[in-house]
Amino acid sequence: MMTIVEVKTNEAFADSALVARKFGMKHNKLVAVIENTLDDYPDLRGSSNTPKSRENHFTEERVYRGKSYTAYMMNRAFFTLVVMRFTTKQAREWQRKFNNAFYELEHQLLLAESNKLDLQWLEQR
């Protein structure tokens, strides 16, 4: 299983090069999605090392097979906004799992809310 998350400055980030590989995409196609997402969410703007950078992610200049490219380090919120725009089979599977986890969490929260009023359930705990 490929890990796409690393920790920088005490926060978890997803590396765009690894994300592209994980979801079966070319990195330049992923960068286009990232840049469109950045344009669509101006509230993510901040000051960083490139005009497209925002405070919620870092960019790193890298060289692969003699070619330079910019890798994006996306935090969880930004990664989620980006990955929901992917259309690969792997991405669709991830999106479904993400939704299922969200719905399960919502179910557990609603259950906990209703159980706190149930005296029998509280006594058994």
Side-chain angles (χ1 to χ4, degrees):
M1 183 160 135
M2 180 190 305
T3 301
I4 60 173
V5 176
E6 60 185 84
V7 177
K8 287 184 181 269
T9 63
N10 296 323
E11 188 174 3
F13 285 88
D15 179 315
S16 63
L18 296 176
V19 170
R21 199 170 318 138
K22 170 77 175 173
F23 290 106
M25 301 174 72
K26 290 185 177 183
H27 190 258
N28 64 336
K29 299 290 185 186
L30 172 60
V31 168
V33 174
I34 289 171
E35 290 178 352
N36 287 333
T37 304
L38 291 171
D39 290 340
D40 290 345
Y41 292 93
D43 59 312
L44 295 176
R45 293 184 190 272
S47 57
S48 192
N49 58 346
T50 67
K52 281 285 186 184
S53 292
R54 310 303 195 265
E55 63 187 22
N56 290 337
H57 71 278
F58 299 103
T59 58
E60 294 179 355
E61 296 305 314
R62 297 186 182 161
V63 177
Y64 179 71
R65 294 185 179 175
K67 292 187 177 184
S68 297
Y69 71 98
T70 300
Y72 288 80
M73 304 300 291
M74 301 170 283
N75 71 5
R76 178 178 25 178
F78 191 71
F79 167 76
T80 303
L81 291 172
V82 169
V83 79
M84 287 302 180
R85 295 172 176 226
F86 294 172
T87 58
T88 66
K89 180 181 177 184
Q90 298 94 324
R92 295 287 187 219
E93 291 170 7
W94 183 90
Q95 292 160 354
R96 184 169 297 263
K97 288 177 186 176
F98 182 87
N99 277 345
N100 289 340
F102 181 86
Y103 298 141
E104 180 59 28
L105 175 61
E106 180 183 45
H107 173 74
Q108 293 301 320
L109 290 172
L110 291 172
L111 189 60
E113 184 66 26
S114 67
N115 283 340
K116 77 178 186 182
L117 302 174
D118 184 345
L119 294 177
Q120 182 180 3
W121 183 85
L122 290 171
E123 287 174 5
Q124 290 178 354
R125 268 188 88 96

